[in-house]
Amino acid sequence: MRLSNMADYAVVMMCAAARHCGGTRVSATDLANETGIALPTTQKLVTLLSKAALLTSVRGTGGGISLARPAAAINLADIIEAIEGPIAMTVCVNGDGQCGMENNCMVKPHWGLVNASIRSTLANISLIALSKTGAPSKTGVSDLHAHQSEQISA
């Protein structure tokens, strides 16, 4: 499983926006310069993330981009789904009949559990943990969870 470039860029951009959280709004140009993402791509992502109620965008003097809710209330699953749509490992989970084996598949009943597990894991990683500067230690994801727990208890 691999994220599209757009989903990857959305995570990078949301992390940059989170680092500005509590400050003044930031422009799309500033986000593009800070992240190295091309301005047209940044603008497209702002539109998609705004539609998903993850960013707020205000035009004109004094305008700019900010998080629509606190970084601790936004998670990795939210960002990915804003760009990719619902998290689904296989097409049969949607029940749209695109799989030729759907009627005889013995695994289909289990894919919902797999998808829910993956989504739950992504939902347990907050934007605040992702936007923390510095690399996680060897324990990896546990550092993200520990940081998230610190934020909740604070």
Side-chain angles (χ1 to χ4, degrees), residues 21-88:
C21 191
T24 58
R25 290 185 179 108
V26 62
S27 71
T29 302
D30 291 339
L31 282 176
N33 290 336
E34 185 175 332
T35 62
I37 299 169
L39 182 58
T41 303
T42 298
Q43 292 168 329
K44 181 176 183 176
L45 288 170
V46 167
T47 299
L48 293 171
L49 294 165
S50 295
K51 285 180 183 177
L54 298 177
L55 290 178
T56 303
S57 178
V58 177
R59 294 185 183 269
T61 305
I65 299 161
S66 61
L67 296 178
R69 55 186 193 254
I74 298 172
N75 61 58
L76 188 53
D78 294 332
I79 300 167
I80 293 169
E81 288 180 332
I83 305 304
E84 303 283 347
I87 294 168

Side-chain angles (χ1 to χ4, degrees), residues 12-13 33 43 54 56 68 93 95 100 102 110 119 123 129 141 148:
V12 170
M13 197 175 82
N33 290 336
Q43 292 168 329
L54 298 177
T56 303
V93 174
E102 191 168 2
H110 305 286
R119 192 190 188 292
V141 174
Q148 186 170 334

Side-chain angles (χ1 to χ4, degrees), residues 97-115:
Q98 289 186 357
C99 179
M101 295 177 50
E102 191 168 2
N103 293 330
N104 299 320
C105 182
M106 303 303 273
V107 180
K108 180 182 176 180
H110 305 286
W111 279 116
L113 176 63
V114 173
N115 287 344

Side-chain angles (χ1 to χ4, degrees), residues 1-9 11 76 79-81 84 87 122:
M1 185 176 105
R2 175 179 272 183
L3 293 178
S4 69
N5 285 344
M6 288 298 280
D8 183 23
Y9 296 160
V11 173
L76 188 53
I79 300 167
I80 293 169
E81 288 180 332
E84 303 283 347
I87 294 168
L122 295 173

